[in-house]
Amino acid sequence: MLLRKYVTVFLITFSFLIVLPTVAQENNQDVVQQFNKTEFENSLHKLAPKEFSLLFAQKYKRDSLRESICLIHIENVMLKSEDLLAQFWGNYSLSYWNHDQKNFKKTIFHVDKLYEIAVKLKNDDLILSSLINKGDFYYDYGDYNQSMESYLKAIKIAKKIKSTVKKLIISKNIALLKIEVDDNQGAVELLEGTLEILKKEQSKKLNRLEVSIYIALTKSYLRLENYAKAEYYGNKGIALSDEYGDEDAKTYFYNFLGETNLLKKKYDESILYIDKAFEYANKIETSKSQLPFINLNIGKIHYYKGEYEKAIDVLEKIEFNQQQKNTNFFSLEDMYKFLGKSYKAIGDTEKSLFYFEKTNEVYTKNDKQQNAIGIEIIKKYDLQSLKEELSEAEKKTKKTQTILYVSIFLALFTVGGLVYFYKKREKKNQQKFAKILKTLEEEKELLTESVPLLKGETLEEKQVKESTLQEKNIETLQQKEVEIIDETKAKLLKKLQNFEVKELYLSKNSSLNEVAKKLKTNTSYLSKLVNAHKGKSFTAYITDLRVNYAIRRLKEDKKFRSYTIDSIAREIGFNRSESFSRAFKNKTGLYPSYYIKNLDNQNVE
């Protein structure tokens, strides 16, 4: 009996082990079948080059299957296209993709192509962007001279096209170079001047730049051993990150604050900050590059707490990972130094000497690199000239004061003009709004007669009678036109009338081809009929019907007015809120948001 039980259990287990892989395989096949490769490939051809590039960066390259299809599309379609913009955005995507793969040569190859194409296009904005990208990539790969050369070219273009935003970005990037060559005081002066000008711009587009400047300032003051300032900018940076929703930046701030407390020998506080940095780095993909720096601080904490074996374990893992990835790690000097000190503390003289020698090698290499770029920065880039340019508005010379007074006068004059323009525009908008409401009332009077509620009749029955009467009135309005055309046209116009009355145009499937199918005619005939009898193209006809519907329903339906513009657009058949807003503005002279706001202000029911 017992043997039989064991046999039964064995057979059940064996069957389960056989069936499980089959079920898993079937599930995997279902997932694969859900992804239509051909359909995805075709969708890529429909995207504008810039739109494709953004989707590839933000979405497609996160999925290995879509990523591989996109890379083939870039190589075979975009780079071989005669359209220079397609080539530009193809190279743009590949430069960032190769950068992510740590492929330095291919990254620079594609970013050089970006610059060449931008020059051919004679597009200063694209030239400027390609130069900034080139400077950023060289910086990431530790080639500071080439990075500086790119930024110097970029600043000339930024001045030429008077792009304050790009000048601020380049200024911040040059400050980062100064940090790397240990010119932290110069970096601080440049960053604080840049921050002062940036705050005057008061643009939400500059939020991320502002946070990145706080990161750089925290790092600079930490290197200057001004821990009070480092903590001030670090904590301020975290508050700004919360305000702007920039979670990625918190990894940097928490790690720097952890390092600050480490240097102040507040190890428990340091651990709290570094643990938070570690949490964010593992949670956010773009923050993973900070893990070696975070782990370096963890290793230092172990050393200072006398936990030498733990320090060695953490630090050697950093070394191993960096060798495996074949990437630069600019704090190698510190890593080797603390490995040497840790091995010395546990009495391993051989390994201690080995790592101290490695420390000296890296120190010599870093020193040469810093000296080389330091000379280049001093020779080719005058910090004072940039500071003067950034703070020009605050100079106290007579010439600047005169310009300032003139500027104030012009500003006041401009503000007065803007107020006058705004009031005038608001008056016109109110007139347009009133005209819309008047038109709606006239249509209601024309199309709907007053139907009394009879005794014993429900409200729903009354509404059905009103709807039927409205359809008859519409038919009467179009009767004269129908009488003077042939029978085929008359039938099609009747179908078109029913199409309007039943509000079928609200469906997203209201293309010429789809509507022709519904009305049982061909696209050419339907298009000509709409052109002849509606006086507009088929697309304009559908758009007008949708906008007119929106105008009416927004006035009558308070709940509908509470929807977002995007939801309203999709509800009435538009794919994008921008298309709806543009169509509404073209039709009424007002944006839908303005129309809704005024309906709510007047409490229109």
Side-chain angles (χ1 to χ4, degrees):
M1 190 70 178
L2 187 62
L3 177 62
R4 186 181 298 173
K5 284 184 180 180
Y6 283 131
V7 170
T8 304
V9 170
F10 172 76
L11 289 173
I12 292 170
T13 307
F14 183 72
S15 301
F16 178 75
L17 291 172
I18 293 173
V19 171
L20 186 61
T22 307
V23 172
Q25 187 176 4
E26 288 175 357
N27 288 338
N28 288 335
Q29 287 174 349
D30 288 342
V31 172
V32 172
Q33 287 171 359
Q34 287 173 7
F35 175 71
N36 189 319
K37 181 182 176 183
T38 304
E39 187 178 312
F40 180 69
E41 287 174 341
N42 291 336
S43 72
L44 299 182
H45 290 274
K46 296 175 184 178
L47 295 172
K50 185 176 181 180
E51 186 182 3
F52 164 84
S53 186
L54 291 172
L55 283 171
F56 177 66
Q58 296 170 4
K59 184 178 178 182
Y60 296 152
K61 71 177 183 181
R62 296 178 183 177
D63 180 308
S64 58
L65 183 56
R66 286 177 172 81
E67 180 185 57
S68 61
I69 294 170
C70 285
L71 290 172
I72 293 169
H73 176 78
I74 293 169
E75 292 285 355
N76 295 342
V77 178
M78 297 181 78
L79 298 189
K80 293 180 180 178
S81 171
E82 293 182 4
D83 180 5
L84 287 176
L85 277 175
Q87 292 180 31
F88 180 89
W89 290 108
N91 279 288
Y92 179 91
S93 297
L94 287 179
S95 66
Y96 274 96
W97 185 82
N98 279 289
H99 178 59
D100 292 342
Q101 305 301 313
K102 311 296 181 186
N103 193 328
F104 173 68
K105 287 185 178 179
K106 286 190 176 181
T107 300
I108 299 304
F109 171 81
H110 288 294
V111 84
D112 282 340
K113 282 287 182 184
L114 279 184
Y115 179 73
E116 289 174 20
I117 295 166
V119 170
K120 285 181 184 177
L121 288 165
K122 297 180 180 178
N123 186 319
D124 285 332
D125 284 325
L126 295 183
I127 291 171
L128 179 55
S129 293
S130 62
L131 285 170
I132 293 174
N133 287 338
K134 191 172 181 178
D136 292 348
F137 291 143
Y138 272 118
Y139 171 85
D140 288 344
Y141 290 116
D143 192 336
Y144 299 149
N145 279 317
Q146 287 294 331
S147 178
M148 189 65 194
E149 291 287 349
S150 300
Y151 290 143
L152 289 173
K153 289 179 182 177
I155 201 80
K156 289 179 182 178
I157 303 294
K159 288 177 181 177
K160 176 185 171 184
I161 64 175
K162 297 179 181 178
S163 175
T164 303
V165 173
K166 290 293 169 63
K167 280 195 284 186
L168 292 173
I169 290 170
I170 298 166
S171 173
K172 184 266 294 185
N173 291 349
I174 290 173
L176 293 178
L177 280 173
K178 285 186 168 291
I179 294 172
E180 294 304 330
V181 300
D182 210 25
D183 181 14
N184 291 293
Q185 188 57 49
V188 163
E189 291 174 16
L190 188 53
L191 288 165
E192 289 185 337
T194 304
L195 187 62
E196 189 177 343
I197 302 301
L198 183 145
K199 286 179 177 178
K200 291 176 183 178
E201 291 294 314
Q202 294 184 339
S203 170
K204 290 184 179 179
K205 293 179 181 179
L206 298 173
N207 287 352
R208 289 187 71 84
L209 175 59
E210 185 181 359
V211 171
S212 68
I213 290 174
Y214 273 94
I215 291 173
L217 280 166
T218 308
K219 184 176 182 179
S220 297
Y221 276 116
L222 180 58
R223 299 293 177 265
L224 288 168
E225 298 182 8
N226 187 334
Y227 303 137
K229 281 278 191 179
E231 287 179 330
Y232 167 77
Y233 281 112
N235 288 313
K236 177 70 174 174
I238 291 170
L240 284 175
S241 299
D242 281 329
E243 184 181 341
Y244 300 153
D246 191 348
E247 296 292 288
D248 181 38
K250 291 181 183 178
T251 309
Y252 296 84
F253 289 121
Y254 283 127
N255 191 41
F256 287 141
L257 288 171
E259 189 174 348
T260 302
N261 279 280
L262 170 63
L263 294 169
K264 291 168 67 177
K265 298 182 179 180
K266 293 183 176 181
Y267 303 129
D268 291 338
E269 289 90 334
S270 178
I271 289 168
L272 290 174
Y273 282 116
I274 290 171
D275 282 347
K276 284 186 178 181
F278 191 82
E279 179 188 338
Y280 277 97
N282 281 290
K283 183 171 66 174
I284 302 169
E285 187 65 32
T286 51
S287 296
K288 290 191 185 302
S289 61
Q290 291 304 300
L291 281 171
F293 302 97
I294 296 166
N295 284 321
L296 177 60
N297 282 332
I298 292 172
K300 288 179 182 179
I301 290 172
H302 285 311
Y303 173 80
Y304 285 121
K305 293 181 75 176
E307 299 166 349
Y308 305 120
E309 297 284 356
K310 288 182 179 179
I312 290 167
D313 183 56
V314 171
L315 295 169
E316 286 190 338
K317 280 179 182 176
I318 299 172
E319 182 188 25
F320 176 77
N321 288 333
Q322 295 308 117
Q323 288 174 350
Q324 289 291 104
K325 295 175 183 177
N326 193 28
T327 57
N328 289 317
F329 178 47
F330 303 122
S331 294
L332 283 173
E333 185 183 323
D334 257 6
M335 181 186 73
Y336 288 134
K337 181 173 74 176
F338 276 87
L339 273 169
K341 291 170 75 172
S342 297
Y343 272 115
K344 183 180 179 182
I346 64 172
D348 192 332
T349 307
E350 185 180 347
K351 282 200 172 182
S352 175
L353 287 172
F354 171 78
Y355 281 115
F356 280 132
E357 284 175 9
K358 295 285 284 185
T359 305
N360 189 52
E361 285 175 22
V362 176
Y363 174 81
T364 304
K365 182 180 176 182
N366 286 348
D367 191 48
K368 285 180 181 178
Q369 191 175 29
Q370 287 180 351
N371 286 337
I373 185 63
I375 293 167
E376 289 299 311
I377 287 178
I378 293 167
K379 189 167 69 173
K380 292 190 175 181
Y381 196 77
D382 183 0
L383 171 62
Q384 189 60 35
S385 67
L386 180 65
K387 283 173 62 182
E388 287 171 2
E389 181 184 338
L390 290 173
S391 62
E392 190 174 6
E394 299 188 18
K395 286 181 182 178
K396 300 300 180 182
T397 62
K398 290 181 180 180
K399 182 179 177 181
T400 306
Q401 284 179 348
T402 303
I403 293 171
L404 185 61
Y405 294 142
V406 172
S407 299
I408 291 170
F409 172 76
L410 290 174
L412 291 172
F413 182 78
T414 303
V415 169
L418 288 172
V419 171
Y420 172 76
F421 170 77
Y422 175 78
K423 287 184 177 179
K424 189 175 180 182
R425 188 183 66 178
E426 181 64 17
K427 186 177 179 181
K428 284 184 178 180
N429 285 344
Q430 286 296 329
Q431 289 172 349
K432 290 173 184 176
F433 177 74
K435 186 179 178 183
I436 293 171
L437 296 186
K438 185 180 178 184
T439 303
L440 289 174
E441 288 302 318
E442 288 173 353
E443 286 178 359
K444 189 174 180 181
E445 288 175 11
L446 181 64
L447 297 175
T448 308
E449 293 180 4
S450 179
V451 178
L453 183 64
L454 301 177
K455 187 176 181 181
E457 184 179 37
T458 65
L459 183 60
E460 287 78 8
E461 289 170 338
K462 175 181 180 291
Q463 289 173 341
V464 169
K465 284 166 65 179
E466 286 179 340
S467 178
T468 304
L469 182 59
Q470 182 174 331
E471 289 181 23
K472 288 180 180 178
N473 286 335
I474 291 172
E475 187 175 353
T476 302
L477 289 171
Q478 296 181 350
Q479 192 66 42
K480 290 181 181 180
E481 184 181 17
V482 175
E483 286 172 357
I484 60 173
I485 58 180
D486 62 48
E487 186 179 350
T488 304
K489 286 183 180 177
K491 285 181 179 178
L492 187 53
L493 279 172
K494 178 68 176 175
K495 290 179 181 178
L496 208 57
Q497 176 192 323
N498 289 334
F499 173 79
E500 293 178 20
V501 170
K502 293 178 181 178
E503 297 172 348
L504 300 178
Y505 50 80
L506 298 178
S507 168
K508 288 190 177 183
N509 298 320
S510 293
S511 64
L512 178 61
N513 189 47
E514 291 295 329
V515 175
K517 285 179 184 177
K518 288 175 185 175
L519 303 185
K520 296 181 180 178
T521 184
N522 62 66
T523 55
S524 177
Y525 187 72
L526 177 59
S527 178
K528 288 177 182 177
L529 185 76
V530 170
N531 266 284
H533 291 274
K534 302 295 180 181
K536 61 189 78 171
S537 68
F538 181 81
T539 302
Y541 165 66
I542 293 294
T543 300
D544 276 357
L545 286 173
R546 288 171 174 173
V547 171
N548 287 336
Y549 172 87
I551 291 168
R552 291 193 305 273
R553 187 171 169 191
L554 286 168
K555 178 180 178 294
E556 297 164 1
D557 188 345
K558 194 170 184 179
K559 184 179 179 182
F560 191 54
R561 294 203 294 269
S562 68
Y563 293 1
T564 63
I565 298 298
D566 187 61
S567 297
I568 292 169
R570 294 182 186 281
E571 178 91 3
I572 64 174
F574 287 93
N575 288 321
R576 296 167 65 245
S577 59
E578 293 83 359
S579 303
F580 167 58
S581 295
R582 187 166 54 249
F584 196 97
K585 179 78 161 59
N586 290 339
K587 177 78 175 175
T588 65
L590 304 173
Y591 284 107
S593 55
Y594 182 90
Y595 179 60
I596 292 167
K597 183 180 177 182
N598 275 269
L599 288 172
D600 286 334
N601 288 343
Q602 296 188 19
N603 201 24
V604 176
E605 296 287 348

